[in-house]
Amino acid sequence: MVMLLHPSRACGALCRLLATALEPYSAGSINLLDYLGHCSDSALLAVIVATRLALLLFMWGSREVAPAIFGAPDNSFVFDTGELLYADARLSMVSNWDGVHMFSIAQHGYLYESQIVFFPGLPAIIRGLDLVTRRLVPVLHRIAPVAAYVCAVNVAASGLAGVLLRRLTILTFLGPEAVRSTCRWRSAVASSRSSLARHAAAEATTHYRLLCGMTGTVLDAPDVHAPLPSTAAQARAAARQRRRVVGGATLVWVLTPAMVFTVVVYTESLYALATILGVYLLAWHEPLPLAVQQRIASHLASAPPATATTTAGAAAAADITQLVPLAQQWVVAAGAAAAEAAERGTPDIVSLVREATPGAATCPLQVVWEQRLITGTEAAAVLLFTVAGAFRSNAFTCAGFLIFPLCVQAALPSTHAAQSSAVLAGVSAHRVLAAATASRGSRVDGRLVVRCPTVHHPLQRVPHPLRLLVVALECACLTAPYLAMNYLGYRRFVLRMWDAASAARMGRAFWTLYPTLQERYWGVQLFSAYTFTNMPNVVLALPVAVLTAWCISRVYLSPALANARAAAHRPRTRWQRVCAAVTPYVRSSNVVHLTALLTLALTAMHVQVTNRFVMASPALCWLLGGQLAAQPRSVASQLILLWSAVWIVAGGILFPNHLPWT
């Protein structure tokens, strides 16, 4: 009873309990972040689906119980009478607000110009499910309405999106070897000796990547301010901490404040699945060959531990300095590479490949990087982003993920070289091993020349002109759904139904129809949300904006300014200080994309939709999850957990009862 009378105390107690579960392992306690960072994909999928089903059950209870408690007429909060339009009103609580328009479009098409702002992806799925359940398998319709099957699709999509988000996080923070060893659909309970050896080699390779600064992808460079570990023990500690960041990011997705919209008739789950999978395909790069991973494991296992009793010579041998960029390593002869590796104490990729390939040990190697215009994974990512454009109007912003590597290549050459070392290590090592073992590749002046195709040429400062053309065409594909919907509305409504004066003001600029309709029917203009009567909606958007800004400042801006002040050559002008602070921030395409989405939502949209508008951004989960992993009992972490709990409960009560929660 006390908990019911004081909901704030109940939420606070829940947050403190959850924060306790986020603490590092101690005695027999269970660490939630470590579990989410290590569990199998099937276990993670089960956790996400269970939370979504529990929310649906809670929504059903609030729909049946809450009106009776508050004495609502006919035991119903009738705020939106849209459910009266349904031929089948079963489970109508999940079809409120936007769901009304989705079902109307699915059944009758676009009858009104205001419906043009709702894109056809979800209505097409509703129509397909209606066809299957009503005509092909009628027994399914007798069991449950179409809305229930739409919920099932959204719950499944949300679970798969969470699995992909964790894979993307592991790839970015730990490397592709960690993805292969961790992300399995079945837990390795009865693993064979060979699988355990492969897992140990993958873990050692992850530590090696941390030692050499070879983490990240072409889209993101994580922890740009973190110092490189200098010993294997420090690398293991860094890997454990990054695993907790993976668990924190996964937890943010599991308990997203926009969870209500992942289970009802909205587009959030399907859009998140398409975009996160597209980003994952763009970021994916090949892991190092197993033979090289095994050599890394043996080297790290034989390295002397860095303890207080370690001699100065052994400690120096265990120290690691950042390696030469990979593109420059491959032109080094065998003797020079071995000598440099011996000086560093840990071999570079070239030396490891030579050790794994006896036939290449006596022959100088040279990799020739060949410019490729497009890859299969990139084409699939573009297709997924285009499909996402059928669900939401802002999918064209994903074009930034295609443009970002080109901008880094042209403007940040050092960052481009570092990212190339991380991304091209696996594919180039595979090529060299294949050429050396099978006597492939051409020999020039006694050197084994291996050709390695890549879309991200590591030695070119200026992107290839044809590559620029291909990316421009890909961006055009991403904008096609948005332009097509605007043109459909322009032909059907503007040219046929608008008066001459209104049509003349628009002219032939059909692509402006979407913002015009937003302004005409919902009053959306620049900063139009910031009025006194709209303050409750502004309050709904404040937590995600404030927490994201604080995390960006903590992770990127503050360390950059501190490093600039501590550097030997301090920036003297204000502009130089700003550049020093912003440069690490722009090394992550997902963080830049999140910032752009937040800016758009807070300035030129319904401000109350900010939470669900940015929920599909991996960077949001990374930033908030990193805070939970680093300081689980801090005020910021408590606010993150409290925000999630309150928004989930409020949405579970308001949305099914026709009350404003959009």
Side-chain angles (χ1 to χ4, degrees):
M1 180 64 67
V2 175
M3 300 293 279
L4 292 176
L5 293 177
H6 301 282
S8 60
R9 294 184 181 179
C11 291
L14 177 62
C15 292
R16 286 191 295 272
L17 178 63
L18 189 55
T20 302
L22 304 184
E23 289 290 349
Y25 275 117
S26 60
S29 62
I30 298 176
N31 184 284
L32 182 59
L33 296 190
D34 286 334
Y35 173 76
L36 293 176
H38 287 88
C39 67
S40 64
D41 285 346
S42 57
L44 176 59
L45 181 63
V47 170
I48 298 174
V49 170
T51 58
R52 273 51 176 172
L53 294 179
L55 177 60
L56 281 173
L57 183 61
F58 175 75
M59 292 170 63
W60 177 83
S62 66
R63 170 67 180 260
E64 299 298 326
V65 176
I69 292 178
F70 291 97
D74 298 327
N75 288 331
S76 177
F77 292 120
V78 182
F79 187 85
D80 184 353
T81 58
E83 69 177 31
L84 299 178
L85 302 175
Y86 301 144
D88 188 349
R90 293 178 296 171
L91 204 66
S92 60
M93 68 175 186
V94 300
S95 304
N96 296 330
W97 301 103
D98 288 6
V100 176
H101 301 283
M102 298 297 179
F103 270 91
S104 175
I105 295 170
Q107 295 172 0
H108 310 292
Y110 289 91
L111 300 179
Y112 310 101
E113 64 181 22
S114 60
Q115 294 177 327
I116 292 296
V117 300
F118 300 99
F119 281 34
L122 186 56
I125 292 177
I126 294 173
R127 191 177 185 89
L129 291 173
D130 183 76
L131 175 65
V132 171
T133 58
R134 285 181 181 269
R135 298 183 181 180
L136 300 182
V137 190
V139 66
L140 294 177
H141 185 261
R142 290 194 293 269
I143 295 174
V146 175
Y149 297 107
V150 176
C151 289
V153 170
N154 278 336
V155 169
S158 178
L160 293 175
V163 171
L164 289 169
L165 172 67
R166 188 181 69 157
R167 289 192 173 208
L168 176 62
T169 308
I170 295 175
L171 175 66
T172 304
F173 285 83
L174 295 171
E177 297 82 12
V179 176
R180 290 280 178 86
S181 64
T182 303
C183 300
R184 301 177 180 272
W185 286 103
R186 292 189 301 174
S187 299
V189 178
S191 300
S192 62
R193 182 175 300 179
S194 60
S195 62
L196 291 176
R198 287 194 297 269
H199 179 76
E203 287 294 318
T205 305
T206 299
H207 303 159
Y208 176 83
R209 284 185 175 273
L210 294 174
L211 285 167
C212 302
M214 293 176 59
T215 56
T217 66
V218 295
L219 299 180
D220 301 280
D223 291 351
V224 292
H225 298 293
L228 292 178
S230 59
T231 64
Q234 293 179 3
R236 285 192 293 270
R240 284 195 298 270
Q241 180 59 27
R242 292 198 179 200
R243 280 285 183 184
R244 290 175 57 77
V245 174
V246 172
T250 307
L251 180 63
V252 172
W253 179 263
V254 172
L255 300 179
T256 173
M259 189 190 299
V260 169
F261 303 104
T262 66
V263 299
V264 297
V265 186
Y266 271 63
T267 60
E268 268 60 35
S269 291
L270 294 167
Y271 176 81
L273 176 61
T275 54
I276 294 177
L277 179 55
V279 173
Y280 178 71
L281 291 177
L282 284 180
W284 174 255
H285 53 94
E286 284 294 320
L288 290 169
L290 180 60
V292 176
Q293 295 183 39
Q294 292 171 343
R295 297 303 304 173
I296 291 174
S298 63
H299 274 286
L300 293 185
S302 61
T307 61
T309 59
T310 305
T311 62
D319 286 343
I320 308 297
T321 58
Q322 191 164 8
L323 300 181
V324 178
L326 183 67
Q328 301 175 20
Q329 291 181 31
W330 282 125
V331 297
V332 179
E340 292 181 5
E343 292 178 1
R344 282 192 293 267
T346 290
D348 55 15
I349 297 295
V350 178
S351 302
L352 291 167
V353 171
R354 292 182 183 281
E355 292 179 7
T357 312
T362 59
C363 178
L365 293 173
Q366 181 178 0
V367 169
V368 177
W369 308 99
E370 293 184 340
Q371 179 69 55
R372 178 178 288 184
L373 300 181
I374 191 173
T375 63
T377 55
E378 183 176 295
V382 172
L383 177 61
L384 286 166
F385 292 149
T386 306
V387 170
F391 294 103
R392 289 250 294 262
S393 60
N394 64 298
F396 67 87
T397 61
C398 294
F401 295 118
L402 301 170
I403 300 172
F404 179 82
L406 301 179
C407 296
V408 171
Q409 182 177 353
L412 301 173
S414 59
T415 300
H416 177 63
Q419 291 176 331
S420 298
S421 297
V423 171
L424 298 178
V427 63
S428 58
H430 276 286
R431 289 272 178 167
V432 171
L433 283 177
T437 55
S439 299
R440 299 173 185 170
S442 59
R443 293 184 180 270
V444 179
D445 297 332
R447 293 177 299 172
L448 180 63
V449 180
V450 181
R451 301 187 180 278
C452 183
T454 176
V455 294
H456 308 289
H457 200 294
L459 300 179
Q460 287 184 355
R461 175 71 181 271
V462 179
H464 196 280
L466 292 180
R467 173 63 182 164
L468 294 175
L469 177 61
V470 169
V471 172
L473 293 176
E474 292 173 341
C475 294
C477 291
L478 266 61
T479 59
Y482 178 84
L483 296 177
M485 284 301 299
N486 278 268
Y487 187 71
L488 170 67
Y490 179 80
R491 290 293 302 270
R492 177 171 295 185
F493 300 108
V494 176
L495 296 182
R496 297 181 181 180
M497 300 182 182
W498 283 23
D499 58 83
S502 299
R505 281 196 298 269
M506 177 170 289
R508 296 185 178 181
F510 65 89
W511 53 87
T512 63
L513 178 61
Y514 184 91
T516 301
L517 294 178
Q518 288 278 3
E519 179 181 354
R520 172 178 292 188
Y521 290 97
W522 292 277
V524 176
Q525 292 179 328
L526 192 64
F527 297 110
S528 60
Y530 298 94
T531 61
F532 179 78
T533 56
N534 200 47
M535 278 299 108
N537 289 327
V538 175
V539 172
L540 292 177
L542 276 181
V544 64
V546 173
L547 289 172
T548 302
W550 188 87
C551 288
I552 289 177
S553 175
R554 182 185 69 86
V555 175
Y556 291 98
L557 303 183
S558 296
L561 290 175
N563 291 342
R565 286 192 294 266
H569 302 284
R570 297 177 57 183
R572 289 176 292 181
T573 65
R574 178 176 299 179
W575 174 249
Q576 289 176 334
R577 290 194 295 270
V578 170
C579 291
V582 171
T583 299
Y585 162 75
V586 299
R587 291 178 63 180
S588 174
S589 63
N590 276 287
V591 174
V592 174
H593 185 251
L594 171 62
T595 305
L597 292 181
L598 269 177
T599 303
L600 179 63
L602 295 174
T603 58
M605 292 179 58
H606 284 296
V607 71
Q608 66 267 25
V609 306
T610 303
N611 290 289
R612 62 185 178 93
F613 187 68
V614 301
M615 63 158 285
S617 172
L620 179 66
C621 298
W622 296 348
L623 291 170
L624 301 183
Q627 172 62 35
L628 293 176
Q631 300 171 328
R633 289 187 175 273
S634 65
V635 175
S637 297
Q638 297 281 350
L639 289 176
I640 292 172
L641 298 175
L642 182 63
W643 168 49
S644 297
V646 172
W647 261 239
I648 291 173
V649 172
I653 294 175
L654 296 177
F655 188 93
N657 287 291
H658 311 282
L659 297 173
W661 191 263
T662 61

